[in-house]
Amino acid sequence: MQQWWKESVVYQIWPRSFADGDGDGIGDLGGITSRLDYLATLGVDVVWLSPIYPSPQDDAGYDISDYQDIDPTFGSVEQFDALLAAVHERGMKLVMDLVVNHTSDEHPWFVESRASKGNPKRNWYWWRPAREGMNAGDPGAEPNNWGSIFSGPAWELDETTGEYYLHLFSRKQPDLNWENPEVRQAVYAMMRWWLDRGVDGFRMDVINFISKVTSLPDGHVHDGSLYGDAMPYFVDGPRIHEFIQEMHREVFAGREGLITVGEMPGVTVEEARLYTDPARRELDMVFQFEHVQVDHGETRWDPRPLRLRDLKAILGRWQAGLAKVGWNSLYWNNHDQPRVVSRFGDDGEHRVRSAKLLGTVLHLHRGTPYIYQGEELGMTNAPFASIDDFRDIQSLNHYAEAVSTGADPKAVLAALRVLSRDNARTPMQWDDTENAGFTTGTPWIAVNPNHKGINAQTELADEDSVFHHYRRLIELRHTEPAVAHGDFRMLLADHEQVYAFARRYGSTELLVLANFSGEPTTIEVPDAGRWQGAELILANYAVDATGGMRHLALRPWEARVYRVRSPLGSTKDNIVTNPS
Ligand code: NOJ
């Protein structure tokens, strides 16, 4: 079926923390395979695996040293094939992470590239001499002023040849030079190899960074920043659409039933439309970041309280921008984001209700929803006590840099507690035993102590749990075409407490109402007559259906989904153009 992924829900597994099959404290393929029935019960259609390739694990596997093998920590190619078959047997698809903006510095391509200036692979990466008039290694001699996304400069001096290489992420993640056609062909061949093996597509890591402005100019230094802002020179760069179209031709053309997802920090709605316009043959959908930056202040490490109106404005703009052409991913969580129930919900008294509300709001938007492991249980941020509890390179580097340049360690830690990626990376909570059923060994990062109360075993047994609410949301997408295909209309856009919108498809209309607050409120339902007699199809409280629709009282963190079906055919005809 064409565009099957519009009616699908993707589940992201971050293998290190999902399930440990061999007791070494690190999740693995055996562990994942043993938990597939859980995913089938939830009802998801696609499983996306974060990287499982050989890697020095400097950035938890996003630093790959061999694209065509499995890291022994996670298992073997045989185990991978068995996992893939088991996923397919359950009617699900498997998507791999594709990390080709950069490799590991231990990848043979880079090992060769750094060997000498004349090496045939030299031009596979971005090598530059010291800044003119300066000596390599002098402070400030880097070829330009770009900062790495993981702190420090984006350049590392390589002593062997006395030149610097570019790394937008850690120094162990050198950027590939996509200007070089040999690089592109090597990547495409590797992608075909995985597709031939039977995988169903790719989630493409920072894929809108692969085309750089080749002169690599200095970036503007914003107030308070140590480095120049390089984003204008590598986000959606000059040849990006050409590269993605070439990839499509070389890898995907003529193959059916696949899904391609571009992770794209900094992408605009207008660019996203280009990337996902089917006529342009680029990608099926993007993963954008604006809504998960809504609570950032000046920097990524400056947490601010959520302003619901801002969140609605952002998501509403994306809904409108991709309404006619293109497609978006819908997500609150992944391995790079803190847990949403702690972030936009209430992880205390109203944890269960707010987790259900967040799921409802997200899954009822237009786009393909992604569930990150544990989100379906309402897992929360972790109670990190000191910097020693963190493992993530981005968090650790930021702490070191901030403290060494004079920041108060307590304040840095406070921000990390709220925003660190490690919040997403604590082990999956399967049951209430010592290590939450994640491992029989010592977990590589501490299990959240709240697993005694929050875990899959308990939730599976409770029809009223967050898990079963997510299961119903997925089922709704599968059974109600308006969820996947309906248009989207934001309601009450200026309301500070209530998120409300309508979906419409043929003769069906859906109304979603969600009170993003621990305070009750009463709303006047816009265009209430339209919803008279509507059927309540999903809620997170028991609802007395006897009242009318004009004024609705919403309890703390209450969410409701109503449906009306017009008996006379299309609601468009009946209501919009012919209100009688
Ligand atoms: C985005 C990934 O999601 C993140 O985890 C990783 O650190 C960077 N890209 C670099 O690969």
Side-chain angles (χ1 to χ4, degrees):
M1 188 192 33
Q2 264 213 328
Q3 303 197 327
W4 55 272
W5 31 261
K6 291 189 173 175
E7 293 165 11
S8 300
V9 176
V10 181
Y11 188 93
Q12 183 193 354
I13 291 182
W14 199 70
R16 227 182 152 67
S17 291
F18 189 64
D20 175 16
D22 63 6
D24 66 355
I26 300 174
D28 50 38
L29 298 187
I32 296 171
T33 308
S34 74
R35 298 291 185 177
L36 287 182
D37 286 336
Y38 169 84
L39 299 183
T41 304
L42 184 59
V44 295
D45 306 276
V46 179
V47 177
W48 149 30
L49 288 187
S50 276
I52 48 173
Y53 317 95
S55 159
Q57 302 288 327
D58 189 54
D59 181 21
Y62 283 89
D63 49 318
I64 297 169
S65 52
D66 182 352
Y67 286 115
Q68 289 173 229
D69 203 348
I70 304 294
D71 194 295
T73 311
F74 295 127
S76 62
V77 173
E78 290 68 40
Q79 271 181 310
F80 175 81
D81 287 340
L83 168 64
L84 180 60
V87 168
H88 285 163
E89 263 163 38
R90 286 164 179 78
M92 298 185 287
K93 300 199 181 232
L94 189 75
V95 163
M96 299 295 273
D97 220 302
L98 180 84
V99 189
V100 291
N101 173 67
H102 44 269
T103 66
S104 163
D105 66 338
E106 297 181 34
H107 193 293
W109 296 345
F110 188 74
V111 173
E112 280 188 50
S113 183
R114 80 183 334 169
S116 69
K117 286 189 187 170
N119 188 281
K121 292 223 164 39
R122 186 66 168 180
N123 195 28
W124 282 43
Y125 294 84
W126 295 89
W127 290 100
R128 291 289 183 276
R131 198 180 270 274
E132 222 177 297
M134 299 189 82
N135 294 317
D138 287 352
E142 288 83 12
N144 70 20
N145 69 357
W146 295 6
S148 151
I149 293 162
F150 289 168
S151 306
W155 295 94
E156 181 74 5
L157 175 62
D158 189 54
E159 299 291 347
T160 319
T161 56
E163 287 191 333
Y164 293 82
Y165 63 86
L166 176 69
H167 59 90
L168 293 180
F169 294 90
S170 98
R171 61 166 66 95
K172 286 185 69 60
Q173 293 168 296
D175 281 56
L176 279 166
N177 176 12
W178 275 70
E179 297 294 317
N180 184 339
E182 287 177 24
V183 168
R184 306 204 297 273
Q185 288 306 326
V187 169
Y188 304 150
M190 172 272 283
M191 294 171 74
R192 288 190 294 260
W193 185 85
W194 282 105
L195 293 178
D196 291 345
R197 231 182 165 87
V199 309
D200 302 294
F202 297 98
R203 171 269 186 190
M204 305 178 183
D205 192 71
V206 294
I207 200 69
N208 63 330
F209 290 6
I210 60 176
S211 164
K212 277 102 175 154
V213 171
T214 54
S215 57
L216 308 175
D218 277 339
H220 175 73
V221 183
H222 298 291
D223 283 352
S225 179
L226 296 173
Y227 299 97
D229 177 4
M231 300 276 283
Y233 307 113
F234 66 77
V235 171
D236 303 325
R239 297 182 69 189
I240 187 67
H241 292 285
E242 177 196 335
F243 292 163
I244 304 273
Q245 285 175 359
E246 180 183 78
M247 176 192 284
H248 190 284
R249 274 197 311 277
E250 295 278 330
V251 179
F252 299 111
R255 300 188 193 242
E256 298 282 321
L258 303 180
I259 174 172
T260 57
V261 188
E263 190 216 23
M264 300 198 174
V267 71
T268 60
V269 180
E270 293 67 36
E271 281 291 331
R273 204 156 40 222
L274 298 179
Y275 285 118
T276 61
D277 174 353
R280 293 172 56 87
R281 295 180 193 281
E282 297 191 19
L283 298 169
D284 294 331
M285 65 190 85
V286 298
F287 222 80
Q288 60 82 25
F289 282 72
E290 264 194 89
H291 68 298
V292 289
Q293 289 163 347
V294 67
D295 57 348
H296 294 179
E298 295 297 307
T299 71
R300 191 213 178 287
W301 300 109
D302 178 14
R304 300 283 167 90
L306 171 67
R307 292 183 6 179
L308 188 67
R309 273 192 301 192
D310 295 349
L311 182 68
K312 291 195 281 188
I314 293 169
L315 289 177
R317 191 157 39 72
W318 278 90
Q319 291 287 306
L322 300 181
K324 297 260 166 2
V325 174
W327 197 249
N328 204 355
S329 309
L330 305 170
Y331 74 97
W332 296 131
N333 275 119
N334 60 42
H335 62 291
D336 295 332
Q337 302 295 330
R339 293 279 178 184
V340 72
V341 71
S342 301
R343 185 178 192 178
F344 297 159
D346 172 351
D347 63 7
E349 183 189 349
H350 298 294
R351 184 187 65 85
V352 171
R353 295 218 199 273
S354 64
K356 290 179 182 176
L357 171 143
L358 287 159
T360 305
V361 167
L362 190 80
H363 283 241
L364 268 293
H365 275 74
R366 186 178 160 87
T368 297
Y370 286 63
I371 301 172
Y372 177 69
Q373 63 188 40
E375 178 182 340
E376 76 282 11
L377 305 175
M379 274 178 64
T380 68
N381 278 357
F384 296 117
S386 87
I387 191 65
D388 300 333
D389 294 340
F390 291 86
R391 299 286 177 274
D392 164 36
I393 182 171
Q394 184 186 36
S395 306
L396 296 174
N397 285 2
H398 165 66
Y399 183 86
E401 183 172 277
V403 170
S404 75
T405 52
D408 171 9
K410 281 208 190 73
V412 182
L413 200 60
L416 283 183
R417 267 197 210 102
V418 180
L419 289 172
S420 169
R421 311 195 293 182
D422 275 336
N423 283 302
R425 299 177 177 192
T426 61
M428 177 74 177
Q429 296 171 198
W430 294 106
D431 58 37
D432 64 1
T433 61
E434 194 190 342
N435 288 320
F438 163 67
T439 181
T440 52
T442 307
W444 70 277
I445 187 171
V447 171
N448 193 322
N450 67 14
H451 71 274
K452 296 275 173 220
I454 305 172
N455 63 70
Q457 193 178 38
T458 309
E459 297 207 17
L460 278 163
D462 173 9
E463 271 299 311
D464 211 21
S465 63
V466 181
F467 177 91
H468 284 292
H469 191 84
Y470 268 76
R471 189 177 55 68
R472 285 181 201 110
L473 283 168
I474 298 167
E475 201 174 273
L476 191 60
R477 176 163 293 258
H478 291 160
T479 53
E480 173 49 73
V483 175
H485 304 291
D487 65 13
F488 177 98
R489 194 157 40 94
M490 188 69 83
L491 306 172
L492 306 176
D494 291 330
H495 203 291
E496 285 172 11
Q497 195 175 334
V498 173
Y499 202 130
F501 56 94
R503 305 289 311 278
R504 181 183 57 187
Y505 185 66
S507 56
T508 303
E509 282 201 273
L510 305 176
L511 173 67
V512 181
L513 302 171
N515 177 12
F516 263 73
S517 151
E519 299 300 321
T521 185
T522 296
I523 54 163
E524 207 168 307
V525 177
D527 210 356
R530 193 175 193 139
W531 305 105
Q532 223 45 58
E535 172 196 5
L536 182 76
I537 56 170
L538 197 70
N540 61 355
Y541 276 88
V543 176
D544 172 6
T546 53
M549 288 294 287
R550 202 153 292 284
H551 294 99
L552 284 183
L554 295 172
R555 289 158 281 187
W557 296 101
E558 179 162 12
R560 298 184 191 182
V561 183
Y562 288 98
R563 175 170 58 198
V564 284
R565 292 196 200 279
S566 157
L568 304 172
S570 155
T571 52
K572 192 164 177 227
D573 298 343
N574 295 338
I575 294 175
V576 178
T577 57
N578 179 11
S580 64

